[in-house]
Amino acid sequence: MEPIPLNVNGNTIRIAVDGDTPLLDVLRNHLGLTGAKFGCGLEQCGCCMVLVDGEPVKSCGKPLSAVAGRAIVTIEGLGTPERPHPLQQAFLDEQAGQCGYCLPGILVSAKALLDHNPAPSRREIAEALDDNICRCGSHVRILRAVERAARLMREGAAR
Ligand code: FES
Ligand code: FES
């Protein structure tokens, strides 16, 4: 089996896995990156979301061969406990989540939004997160957290 080249969170690797294997399976079971979650497995809930070339992608339905050589970012690539991404800090500040299962997908979707649009309206945030389901109903706090993160990032950019 020909190894498939991957770029995950800035690290270039080659992995000998069948090209039809879902990206989520490779991230979680081969690379130990368990941030992205398995929910529906049917590209319906968004908890498996990762970024591929900066765009949110549901990794449960994306075959590995389709992302060969492309830049993949998972929640593990956003920040660290010592240096959290502004989105992670804002979600903590707003206590935006209950069980947290949806949050890795929501955070990467929100990152894609803020990378394209540093000052989104609440409607634009809601539309960007439309593919991410939160079963705990934390939507209002999640929207507030993304607004807070946008402010933090704009202030940081101004400093
Ligand atoms: S697990 Fe991928 S969309 Fe639900
Ligand atoms: S916080 Fe539980 S699913 Fe969103």
Side-chain angles (χ1 to χ4, degrees), residues 2 13 15 41 46 60 68-69 72 76-77 80 92 94 106 109 111 124:
E2 186 69 21
I13 53 172
I15 186 159
C60 69
I72 299 161
E76 289 89 346
T80 64
L92 284 170
E94 294 287 347
I106 286 178
S109 291
K111 180 181 187 314
E124 288 172 323

Side-chain angles (χ1 to χ4, degrees), residues 37-41 43-46 48 58 60:
K37 298 288 183 276
F38 183 91
C40 62
E43 299 183 274
Q44 298 293 314
C45 74
C48 64
K58 292 166 186 153
C60 69

Side-chain angles (χ1 to χ4, degrees), residues 10-144:
N11 300 311
T12 301
I13 53 172
R14 296 173 73 81
I15 186 159
V17 173
D18 190 303
D20 290 335
T21 309
L23 173 59
L24 179 63
D25 183 37
V26 172
L27 293 172
R28 291 183 56 85
N29 299 327
H30 294 266
L31 302 181
L33 296 170
T34 55
K37 298 288 183 276
F38 183 91
C40 62
L42 297 168
E43 299 183 274
Q44 298 293 314
C45 74
C47 68
C48 64
M49 202 78 88
V50 300
L51 301 181
V52 177
D53 292 339
E55 298 300 329
V57 165
K58 292 166 186 153
S59 61
C60 69
K62 185 62 74 177
L64 194 65
S65 57
V67 297
R70 297 170 70 186
I72 299 161
V73 174
T74 70
I75 186 67
E76 289 89 346
L78 253 63
T80 64
E82 297 75 28
R83 294 197 60 189
H85 187 281
L87 274 162
Q88 293 167 318
Q89 187 60 56
F91 272 66
L92 284 170
D93 293 344
E94 294 287 347
Q95 292 287 289
Q98 292 184 43
C99 77
Y101 205 79
C102 66
L103 293 183
I106 286 178
L107 282 157
V108 297
S109 291
K111 180 181 187 314
L113 169 68
L114 297 185
D115 286 348
H116 292 305
N117 179 0
S121 65
R122 184 163 281 212
R123 174 181 290 272
E124 288 172 323
I125 296 170
E127 286 172 358
L129 299 182
D130 199 39
D131 274 357
N132 295 87
I133 293 172
C134 172
R135 295 163 185 79
C136 295
S138 300
H139 304 91
V140 174
R141 280 182 285 162
I142 287 168
L143 294 172
R144 276 206 305 261

